[in-house]
């Protein structure tokens, strides 16, 4: 096959891409008791997927992605607690709120690079966390936001105690987001992002509007992260200050890197393995969990930079 | 007037701690371009060594600080030679991930050893209470911090501006290749600067134990402050971070004093605005 054919065929669906969805549907029927955990995993996959767009494709190293997750969670939570329990409008609202925050902060953050950019992403998150903490009258402050009553989806599907509706709801939203993200990264826009990641100066030189492209993807990614946050708020009916924490930003980067960045499926592999391992291991000794994660990260950087999917690639190529 | 003096005084003491902790990071970033998010870990380690030595073994404050400085400087140089050095040429993401890994590990270790709550700080009797400075009386501990901070800064600046080591360091920050080609061993230089910076961070952690509480969240909670000092000051300079630390110290203290209901919100907003105006920092070279 000519090299150009592989490039041209990249956007076509391959059979293996069905695998995550088959697993997700199978989980629904086989592991009925674990559906709440399943929903959490789907939410983190969506969050990691949104991060992959900026970190993996556009090469923006951010440590403040939880800002958008948090804004989405609070927007959906406050909407549900004070305005209406209708879930889909809550999702849309959360996406818009996170997109606005993403766009505004992107205007500032993306002017810089390196350490300053990192610090700014941290500062934006710290600023929002402080705002959420101090505005206790609307966000619940340190006690968290409660009192949401989520109405049935389309007025038909009620959220049940076993988390069945919540699981399918998250799955459906994730599927749509994945279709969108997949389309995006295979578009000429997505290709230009990779160009910017690989060589910003050259992209400037060939006349690509680098800053506008980065701002666009940052805003889109923020909206998706906001949807993930909104799903968490709606399915757990609780929003705490930790949604805006450094820990969450750090963890989502770790999940993505563990799966493999810039390949769309790293989010699925990384978030899946991380969440299941955490559920199993953190019960034993939560303090140790972070030690092992830290150690894993150091080893990953030293020996396996492509993550799990990168390792699989290397083995298959032999 | 009374409030203004209070804010200036407390802000100055706070700025000293911020500067002593962060200045090493500025040099590391300026010299090797290494994004060392784990710098706060060294400050935390210094704080734990100091406080534990005082609490468990009744070691005097000054000696405990000295031990913290030496121990952390040695530890850091071992880490630098064995792990950091492998990532000098690597991308920013790898450096960030590696240092986050270090943060997570160190947080788990101190949590396992000494629990999740902040360490109680028992200052020596000389440093507790108030001291009368003529105009009015001030808390002795913070006065001590300001004096020690100014002394350390004077030492540091003399060292960098007047000694041979300092001249080599400045040369390497300005133009590493040129410095290497006239025979300066930048690797050795960097190890030394790294050890010194980490040692200073440890000293800052120990000195400031009563202002920035020593607990497992130290390395993450204050990280954004340390990074702000460096980013706003500009990389690789000594003066820039000092001005940035003063701005941050005064600003943060004033906000918490005057508008406690908004907390640190204004400070973050102001710092973001400042970087919008000068993305390379106040004294940074674009």
């Amino acid at each position: 096959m000519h090299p150009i054919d592989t490039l041209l065929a990249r956007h076509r669906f391959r059979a293996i891409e069905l695998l995550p969805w088959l697993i997700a549907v199978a989980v629904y029927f086989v592991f009925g008791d674990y559906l709440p955990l399943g929903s959490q995993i789907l939410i983190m996959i969506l969050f990691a997927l949104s991060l992959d767009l900026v970190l993996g494709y556009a090469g923006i190293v951010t440590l403040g992605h939880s800002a958008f997750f948090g804004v989405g969670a609070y927007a959906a939570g406050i909407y549900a607690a004070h305005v209406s329990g209708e879930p889909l409008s809550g999702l849309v609202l959360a996406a818009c709120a996170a997109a606005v925050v993403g766009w505004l902060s992107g205007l500032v953050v993306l002017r810089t690079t390196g350490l300053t950019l990192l610090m700014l992403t941290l500062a934006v998150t710290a600023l929002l966390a402080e705002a959420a903490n101090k505005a206790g009258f609307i966000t619940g402050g340190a006690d968290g936001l409660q009192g949401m009553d989520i109405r049935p989806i389309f007025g038909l599907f009620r959220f049940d105690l076993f988390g069945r509706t919540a699981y399918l709801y998250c799955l459906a939203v994730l599927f749509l987001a994945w279709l969108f993200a997949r389309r995006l990264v295979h578009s000429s826009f997505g290709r230009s992002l990779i160009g910017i990641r690989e060589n910003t100066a050259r992209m400037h030189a060939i006349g690509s509007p680098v800053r506008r492209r980065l701002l666009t993807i940052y805003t889109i990614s923020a909206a998706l992260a906001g949807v993930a946050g909104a799903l968490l708020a709606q399915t757990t009916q609780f929003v705490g200050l930790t949604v805006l924490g450094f820990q969450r930003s750090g963890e989502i980067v770790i999940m993505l890197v563990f799966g493999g960045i810039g390949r769309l499926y790293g989010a699925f592999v990384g978030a899946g393995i991380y969440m299941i391992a955490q559920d199993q291991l953190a019960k034993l000794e939560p303090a140790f969990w972070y030690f092992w994660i830290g150690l894993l990260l150091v080893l990953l950087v030293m020996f396996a930079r492509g993550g799990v999917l990168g390792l699989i690639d290397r083995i298959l190529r032999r | 007037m009374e409030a203004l003096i209070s804010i200036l005084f407390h802000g100055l003491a706070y700025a000293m701690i911020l500067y002593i902790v962060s200045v090493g990071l500025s040099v590391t970033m300026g010299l090797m371009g290494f994004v060392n998010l784990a710098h706060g870990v060294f400050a935390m380690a210094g704080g734990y060594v100091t406080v534990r030595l005082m609490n468990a073994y009744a070691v005097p404050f000054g000696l405990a600080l000295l031990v913290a400085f030496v121990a952390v400087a040695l530890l850091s140089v071992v880490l630098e030679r064995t792990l950091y050095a492998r990532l000098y040429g690597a991308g920013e993401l790898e450096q960030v991930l590696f240092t986050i890994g270090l943060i997570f590990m160190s947080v788990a270790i101190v949590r396992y050893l000494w629990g999740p709550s902040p360490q109680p700080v028992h200052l020596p009797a000389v440093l507790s209470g108030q001291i009368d400075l003529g105009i009015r009386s001030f808390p002795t501990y913070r006065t001590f911090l300001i004096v020690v901070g100014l002394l350390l800064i004077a030492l540091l600046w003399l060292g960098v501006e007047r000694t041979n080591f300092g001249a080599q360091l400045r040369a390497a920050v300005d133009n590493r290749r040129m410095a290497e080609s006239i025979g300066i061993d930048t690797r050795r230089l960097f190890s030394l600067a790294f050890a010194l910076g980490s040692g200073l961070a440890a000293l800052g952690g120990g000195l400031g134990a009563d202002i920035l509480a020593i607990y497992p969240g130290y390395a993450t909670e204050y990280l954004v402050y340390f990074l702000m000092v460096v980013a706003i000051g500009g990389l690789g300079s000594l003066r820039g971070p000092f001005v940035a630390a003063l701005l941050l110290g005064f600003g943060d203290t004033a906000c918490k004093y005057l508008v406690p209901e908004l907390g640190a919100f204004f400070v973050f907003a102001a710092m973001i605005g400042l970087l919008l105006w000068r993305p390379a920092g106040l004294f940074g070279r674009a």
Side-chain angles (χ1 to χ4, degrees):
Chain A
M1 202 157 60
H2 197 267
I4 199 92
D5 293 333
T6 25
L7 278 178
L8 288 174
R10 268 199 172 162
H11 68 283
R12 296 212 187 105
F13 282 97
R14 283 167 301 157
I16 187 118
E17 294 183 77
L18 268 177
L19 191 64
W21 310 106
L22 290 178
I23 294 175
V25 172
V27 164
Y28 178 77
F29 291 106
V30 180
F31 295 105
D33 297 340
Y34 284 98
L35 289 184
L37 174 66
S39 306
Q40 299 270 329
I41 293 176
L42 295 174
I43 291 167
M44 292 323 268
I45 291 174
L46 177 55
F47 188 22
L49 189 65
S50 77
L51 180 66
D52 203 15
L53 293 180
V54 288
L55 181 63
Y57 285 90
I60 304 168
V61 181
T62 165
L63 270 179
H65 216 53
S66 66
F68 313 123
F69 186 84
V71 166
Y74 272 110
I78 292 167
Y79 178 75
H82 298 292
V83 185
S84 157
E86 208 286 307
L88 295 179
S89 54
L91 274 193
V92 173
L93 180 86
C96 294
V100 169
V101 174
W103 184 72
L104 283 176
S105 64
L107 280 177
V108 185
V109 167
L110 298 175
R111 283 167 58 100
T112 62
T113 51
L115 180 91
T116 311
L117 188 145
L118 262 180
M119 180 239 120
L120 278 174
T121 59
L122 278 173
V124 168
T125 318
L127 181 135
L128 290 170
E130 188 74 0
N133 184 25
K134 297 290 176 184
F137 57 93
I138 183 149
T139 60
D143 296 332
L145 179 69
Q146 281 161 332
M148 288 165 234
D149 187 22
I150 308 294
R151 291 218 301 268
I153 303 162
F154 300 127
L156 291 173
F157 307 103
R158 192 173 291 284
F159 283 93
D160 56 300
L161 271 179
F162 310 100
R164 290 203 191 101
T165 314
Y167 183 83
L168 293 177
Y169 177 48
C170 293
L171 188 59
V173 174
L174 175 63
F175 185 73
L176 291 176
W178 168 79
L179 276 182
F180 171 70
R182 195 181 182 287
R183 182 110 209 175
L184 195 70
V185 300
H186 289 306
S187 69
S188 53
F189 172 74
R191 298 281 112 184
S192 75
L193 290 180
I194 296 178
I196 293 168
R197 178 189 75 196
E198 293 299 321
N199 195 330
T200 313
R202 200 166 287 175
M203 290 303 278
H204 273 299
I206 63 167
S208 173
V210 171
R211 189 163 290 162
R212 206 169 71 216
R213 293 265 154 91
L214 289 179
L215 191 58
T216 309
I217 194 65
Y218 202 67
T219 309
I220 292 174
S221 164
L224 283 181
V227 170
L231 285 178
L232 184 75
Q234 291 177 344
T235 55
T236 59
Q237 315 214 340
F238 177 79
V239 184
L241 279 178
T242 55
V243 292
L244 283 165
F246 172 79
Q247 204 95 323
R248 189 170 290 262
S249 288
E251 269 180 339
I252 200 69
V253 174
I254 293 169
M255 287 183 211
L256 182 62
V257 169
F258 183 62
I261 66 168
R263 34 173 83 234
L264 218 51
Y265 293 98
F268 290 79
V269 176
I273 296 179
Y274 187 97
M275 296 291 286
I276 292 169
Q278 187 178 37
D279 184 65
Q280 295 299 313
L281 299 177
K283 271 184 222 152
L284 305 173
E285 181 60 77
F288 277 142
W289 168 249
Y290 284 108
F291 179 82
W292 296 121
I293 284 300
L295 188 63
L296 181 77
L297 206 50
V298 171
L299 293 176
L300 206 67
V301 172
M302 295 288 171
F303 303 110
R305 296 200 183 157
V308 171
L309 290 180
L311 278 180
I312 293 176
D313 263 5
R314 258 196 265 169
I315 292 165
L316 287 181
R317 260 187 225 144
R318 285 220 177 121
Chain B
M1 190 62 201
E2 191 72 351
L4 185 69
I5 292 178
S6 256
I7 289 170
L8 285 178
F9 179 76
H10 287 270
L12 190 58
Y14 186 33
M16 290 299 162
I17 296 303
L18 283 179
Y19 181 69
I20 295 171
V21 171
S22 314
V23 67
L25 185 61
S26 171
V27 174
T28 327
M29 277 296 305
L31 195 53
M32 299 300 273
F34 195 100
V35 185
N36 183 17
L37 298 182
H39 190 72
V41 168
F42 297 125
M44 176 171 76
Y48 268 106
V49 171
T50 310
V51 175
R52 292 307 305 169
L53 279 178
M54 284 163 65
N55 290 354
Y57 305 101
V59 176
F61 190 43
L63 185 61
L65 284 174
L66 190 67
V67 174
F69 177 84
V70 174
V72 172
L74 286 177
L75 171 81
S76 79
V77 99
V78 170
L79 282 176
E80 197 265 334
R81 288 288 77 193
T82 53
L83 297 174
Y84 280 79
R86 289 157 166 257
L87 293 176
Y88 284 157
E92 190 192 348
L93 179 67
E94 276 82 26
Q95 299 177 346
V96 165
L97 291 169
F98 164 70
T99 49
I100 291 184
L102 285 188
I103 293 178
F104 276 29
M105 282 163 77
S106 64
V107 168
I109 291 170
V110 295
R111 204 185 159 91
Y112 173 71
L113 289 177
W114 297 298
S117 43
Q119 293 289 314
V121 181
H122 305 291
L123 293 169
V126 200
L127 291 181
S128 42
Q130 305 272 322
I131 184 170
D132 191 6
L133 290 182
I135 335 160
R136 53 168 274 196
S137 60
F138 291 101
T140 315
Y141 168 65
R142 284 180 164 74
T143 317
F144 166 77
L145 280 187
I146 294 171
V147 173
V148 172
L150 288 174
L151 277 176
L152 274 175
I153 290 165
L155 259 179
L156 191 65
W157 286 10
L158 272 180
V160 171
E161 295 294 330
R162 292 275 178 273
T163 65
N164 200 19
F165 168 76
Q168 293 184 357
L169 194 64
R170 279 181 287 130
V173 171
D174 275 349
N175 192 333
R176 184 154 160 241
R177 283 189 162 179
M178 199 61 198
E180 275 168 1
S181 49
I182 58 166
I184 295 173
D185 184 351
T186 51
R187 280 178 73 89
R188 218 190 93 234
L189 192 70
F190 184 64
S191 292
L192 270 172
F194 193 86
L196 190 67
S198 311
L200 275 176
L203 212 52
L207 276 169
D210 212 24
I211 295 182
L212 303 181
I214 302 298
Y215 79 109
Y218 189 98
T220 54
E221 189 184 331
Y222 306 123
L223 176 66
V224 62
Y225 285 92
F226 304 149
L227 292 183
M228 265 200 255
V229 170
V230 176
I232 288 170
L235 302 176
S237 93
L238 289 182
R239 190 176 36 153
F242 185 62
V243 176
L246 285 178
L247 280 177
L248 202 55
F250 291 142
D252 198 51
T253 313
C255 277
K256 283 178 179 159
Y257 192 91
L258 300 172
V259 275
E261 62 275 11
L262 284 174
F265 186 86
F266 266 133
V267 179
F268 290 128
M271 296 297 148
I272 291 170
L274 205 62
L275 281 169
L276 194 61
W277 172 50
R278 300 198 72 146
L282 291 175
F283 294 86
R285 280 156 290 190

